[in-house]
Amino acid sequence: MSAVVLVGAQWGDEGKGKITDFLAEKANCVVRYQGGSNAGHTVEVSQEKFMLHLIPSGILYPETLCVIGNGVVVDMGKLIEEIDGLQKRGIDTSNLRISLRSPVVMPYHKRIDELEDRHTGIGTTKRGIGPAYADKINRIGFRMGDILTGGKCFRERFKAQIEYKNRIMEEIYQEDGFDYQQMLEEIFGQAEQLKKYLADTSYLVYTAIKEGKKVLFEGAQGTLLDIDHGTYPYVTSSHPIAGGACVGTGIGPTNISKVLGVAKAYTTRVGEGPFPTELNDFQGEILRDKGQEYGTTTGRPRRCGWLDTVILRYAVRINGLTDLAITKLDVLDSFPTIKICVAYRYKGQLLTEFPNNITILDDCEPEYIELPGWQEDITAASSMEDLPVNARAYVAKIEELTGVKAAIIAVGPKRKQTIVNSLLFT
Ligand code: IMP
């Protein structure tokens, strides 16, 4: 059995796209289990850059089965755009499958997301993610299968929902509402285009695992953006953590063999909320410039700071990480010294565990250790032996502080700029 869950160990944007792409080459099946078009993975293949939002990174390999699981909220318009964009560049999308149980992101979800965010100040991606998940939990949402089936019952529920949303738009936000007929035609048209991809994906993934195929569960966002275990309320509305892979695909936990946590060699976050190791100085600028830290989905500059191993240890615990992938190590190339946060100082007390509450986190000062930098270009390294001794020491320190071995180390965005210490798929 070989099923690996890949999760972001920080606040998202850990460079998961590159690692997923690397593992997808070996996988028979790649599965997205949460999030939606708020995610943005950049994959570089022989001078070409691909930006993926909803489609699993495995799509770049023609033989790989790519699954959008039931835990993903699907913006049909965006998905069609993404499929068309890939096809225009000669990528075969016939191996894509979408769960019949996936909730649909409706145009009203996106509008409400925008309006609500003005009040909450979460800094969402405005992709309708929160409102779509809220409707799912409230049992007033619509799944891909509902739209495909259509029929009287669906139309009645949909009409009632539009009326309800229009009251919110008009009475709370003093904005125009939505036209039922127009939206109905739009979503029926989109569902018709996606029909051929719809399937009982839980069965497909289960069968793949039972047949001994290599299955990769591709997490979007990251541990600290998890709705339950992240820095609430500055989180997304899904479960990026490893447990989310089971719920979001309909696969039991005993089918999972490994959990790979992807962590950048430093820390970034987008949107609002506390960030203890944030650097608001020239060092943060260096990380942003060299690491090209701008959102794939929104283009927003990311906040940057030193590596925080309190966060990484938390990610080890919450996800049950068996392995680490450390990305963008080369971004640290120019620093004469590099800091690692090992604990927090909170009102004179030393905290070694990640706090449960952002009010506490907001008042936490990082306790650092300092390591010498390597100050040389490592982008051509292809094994640990190629790395300067200080870069190796940096990786070893992360392993020591987290208790987890680095299976993969990325030293640049290209596929070949990857050091592999252990094979994830057996
Ligand atoms: P939402 O997922 O659009 O509701 O946004 C909620 C929070 O999650 C915001 O702080 C976003 O910036 C953050 N977020 C959502 N998706 C990503 C991602 O792919 N990378 C990093 N942050 C994200």
Side-chain angles (χ1 to χ4, degrees), residues 252-269:
T254 48
N255 290 303
I256 309 290
S257 36
K258 286 196 167 182
V259 182
L260 173 70
V262 184
K264 237 178 249 189
Y266 48 98
T267 313
T268 63
R269 91 170 287 188

Side-chain angles (χ1 to χ4, degrees), residues 157-330:
R157 277 185 64 224
F158 191 57
K159 192 154 196 270
Q161 215 24 243
I162 298 276
E163 282 165 8
Y164 175 56
K165 295 295 193 277
N166 283 351
R167 284 190 61 193
I168 296 177
M169 294 297 295
E170 287 153 14
E171 291 172 28
I172 300 181
Y173 296 110
Q174 284 82 48
E175 294 257 346
D176 290 340
F178 299 91
D179 183 72
Y180 162 72
Q181 197 56 40
Q182 197 186 328
M183 203 183 293
L184 191 72
E185 280 163 26
E186 183 183 329
I187 61 169
F188 276 172
Q190 290 169 334
E192 188 55 35
Q193 288 186 65
L194 293 173
K195 196 161 97 181
K196 60 172 182 266
Y197 299 110
L198 295 175
D200 179 348
T201 53
S202 160
Y203 177 73
L204 290 180
V205 178
Y206 180 78
T207 309
I209 293 175
K210 289 298 155 198
E211 284 174 355
K213 303 244 169 78
K214 297 180 172 85
V215 178
L216 177 67
F217 295 88
E218 173 185 2
Q221 287 88 39
T223 303
L224 294 186
L225 290 174
D226 185 272
I227 185 77
D228 279 328
H229 300 283
T231 44
Y232 191 90
Y234 298 101
V235 291
T236 191
S237 299
S238 66
H239 288 295
I241 61 166
C246 295
V247 185
T249 58
I251 294 296
T254 48
N255 290 303
I256 309 290
S257 36
K258 286 196 167 182
V259 182
L260 173 70
V262 184
K264 237 178 249 189
Y266 48 98
T267 313
T268 63
R269 91 170 287 188
V270 255
E272 300 308 314
F275 178 176
T277 63
E278 182 168 16
L279 290 165
N280 290 309
D281 60 5
F282 73 97
Q283 301 182 102
E285 285 297 326
I286 295 175
L287 293 174
R288 188 172 308 109
D289 284 355
K290 178 103 200 279
Q292 276 304 294
E293 297 297 352
Y294 299 91
T296 313
T297 306
T298 59
R300 288 182 287 179
R302 296 177 186 142
R303 299 156 65 192
C304 300
W306 295 121
L307 185 73
D308 184 336
T309 56
V310 182
I311 292 175
L312 294 193
R313 280 201 309 276
Y314 182 65
V316 170
R317 164 154 64 91
I318 298 294
N319 297 294
L321 299 186
T322 57
D323 299 84
L324 272 180
I326 300 171
T327 60
K328 294 189 155 186
L329 187 63
D330 55 302

Side-chain angles (χ1 to χ4, degrees), residues 14-32:
E14 295 91 350
K16 294 182 296 294
K18 180 194 152 118
I19 305 297
T20 312
D21 172 66
F22 180 79
L23 291 174
E25 191 184 7
K26 288 135 198 103
N28 307 105
C29 176
V30 183
V31 193
R32 269 283 302 273

Side-chain angles (χ1 to χ4, degrees), residues 11 13 38-40 122-125 129 221 225 235-236 270-271 300:
W11 270 294
D13 308 317
N38 52 347
I122 303 283
T124 74
T125 60
I129 306 300
Q221 287 88 39
L225 290 174
V235 291
T236 191
V270 255
R300 288 182 287 179

Side-chain angles (χ1 to χ4, degrees), residues 73 109 116 128-141 237:
V73 285
H109 290 134
E116 276 180 349
I129 306 300
Y133 278 115
D135 278 5
K136 162 181 152 171
I137 300 297
N138 271 334
R139 293 153 295 185
I140 54 171
S237 299

